[in-house]
């Protein structure tokens, strides 16, 4: 077959392959990537963290934030993921953000993650002492929640998500 006849066929194959790969990163596809589950019952360490963050916000002239079960569900899914891959990260943040926009009417979303702290006070102090994390603690948000889970070795992983509605 001549190169001139092969060129259109190769172009079609290239377009089909590109579309297939890029569709995985489109927002409407990723929005369904996070399955909302019933939020687990809050642990003492989680309630303490939320209280410490609200205390910090009030002491520094910010409004207190409301707990939100949809945020808790999304945070739990990410904490579970971090334990599974044994890595603290913001992987797949776009999917969490999109899910919260669609399911909790969020107009802005941010998160803090952490690993290895053994108390509510120690993880909140670490976030306060980190400029980026502190900015999230002090941000213009209305709601938040947290997931704190332990891996098999007993090490804590944390995902704290903030939204504005």
């Amino acid at each position: 077959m001549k190169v001139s006849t092969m060129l259109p066929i190769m172009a079609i194959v290239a377009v089909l392959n590109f579309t297939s790969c890029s569709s995985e990163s489109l927002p409407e596809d990723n929005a369904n990537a996070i399955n909302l589950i019933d939020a687990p019952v809050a642990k003492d360490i989680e309630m303490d963290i939320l209280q410490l963050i609200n205390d910090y916000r009030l002491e520094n002239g910010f409004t207190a934030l409301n707990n939100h079960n949809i945020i808790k569900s999304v945070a739990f899914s990410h904490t579970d993921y971090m334990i599974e891959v044994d890595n603290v990260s913001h992987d797949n943040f776009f999917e969490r953000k999109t899910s919260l926009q669609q399911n909790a009417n969020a107009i802005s979303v941010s998160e803090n993650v952490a690993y290895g702290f053994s108390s509510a006070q120690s993880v909140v102090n670490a976030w306060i002492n980190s400029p980026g994390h502190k900015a999230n603690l002090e941000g213009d948000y209305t709601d938040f929640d947290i997931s704190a889970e332990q891996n098999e070795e007993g090490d804590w992983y944390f995902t704290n998500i903030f939204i504005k509605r």
Side-chain angles (χ1 to χ4, degrees), residues 74-146:
V74 172
F76 175 77
S77 294
H78 184 61
T79 304
D80 193 44
Y81 164 81
M82 291 192 300
I83 291 171
E84 183 179 317
V85 299
D86 192 25
N87 186 39
V88 178
S89 71
H90 296 284
D91 289 356
N92 309 310
F93 175 76
F94 182 78
E95 285 113 3
R96 288 188 294 287
K97 177 182 176 185
T98 301
S99 179
L100 290 165
Q101 288 170 328
Q102 292 181 346
N103 296 296
N105 301 316
I107 57 174
S108 62
V109 179
S110 69
E111 73 180 11
N112 289 340
V113 296
Y115 163 79
F117 295 93
S118 58
S119 71
Q121 190 68 62
S122 64
V123 72
V124 172
N125 285 345
W127 286 333
I128 290 170
N129 291 317
S130 165
H133 294 100
K134 182 179 180 180
N136 289 340
L137 294 177
E138 296 177 348
D140 181 22
Y141 299 108
T142 55
D143 304 273
F144 71 155
D145 222 309
I146 189 159

Side-chain angles (χ1 to χ4, degrees), residues 5-156:
T5 11
M6 291 283 294
L7 211 46
I9 294 170
M10 290 171 54
I12 291 171
V13 170
V15 167
L16 290 175
N17 283 338
F18 178 74
T19 304
S20 174
C21 293
S22 68
S23 69
E24 292 175 10
S25 63
L26 292 175
E28 51 271 10
D29 289 342
N30 286 339
N32 297 324
I34 295 183
N35 294 324
L36 295 178
I37 58 169
D38 288 335
V41 175
K43 298 172 187 66
D44 287 343
I45 192 169
E46 294 168 331
M47 292 185 298
D48 291 346
I49 291 168
L50 296 175
Q51 184 64 52
L52 287 167
I53 291 171
N54 269 339
D55 289 348
Y56 172 83
R57 286 179 61 89
L58 291 170
E59 289 167 8
N60 289 281
F62 303 99
T63 59
L65 303 175
N66 301 304
N67 299 33
H68 198 292
N69 276 344
I70 293 174
I71 299 170
K72 173 92 171 148
S73 173
V74 172
F76 175 77
S77 294
H78 184 61
T79 304
D80 193 44
Y81 164 81
M82 291 192 300
I83 291 171
E84 183 179 317
V85 299
D86 192 25
N87 186 39
V88 178
S89 71
H90 296 284
D91 289 356
N92 309 310
F93 175 76
F94 182 78
E95 285 113 3
R96 288 188 294 287
K97 177 182 176 185
T98 301
S99 179
L100 290 165
Q101 288 170 328
Q102 292 181 346
N103 296 296
N105 301 316
I107 57 174
S108 62
V109 179
S110 69
E111 73 180 11
N112 289 340
V113 296
Y115 163 79
F117 295 93
S118 58
S119 71
Q121 190 68 62
S122 64
V123 72
V124 172
N125 285 345
W127 286 333
I128 290 170
N129 291 317
S130 165
H133 294 100
K134 182 179 180 180
N136 289 340
L137 294 177
E138 296 177 348
D140 181 22
Y141 299 108
T142 55
D143 304 273
F144 71 155
D145 222 309
I146 189 159
S147 170
E149 300 296 328
Q150 291 178 293
N151 65 11
E152 290 179 359
E153 292 78 33
D155 299 319
W156 287 99

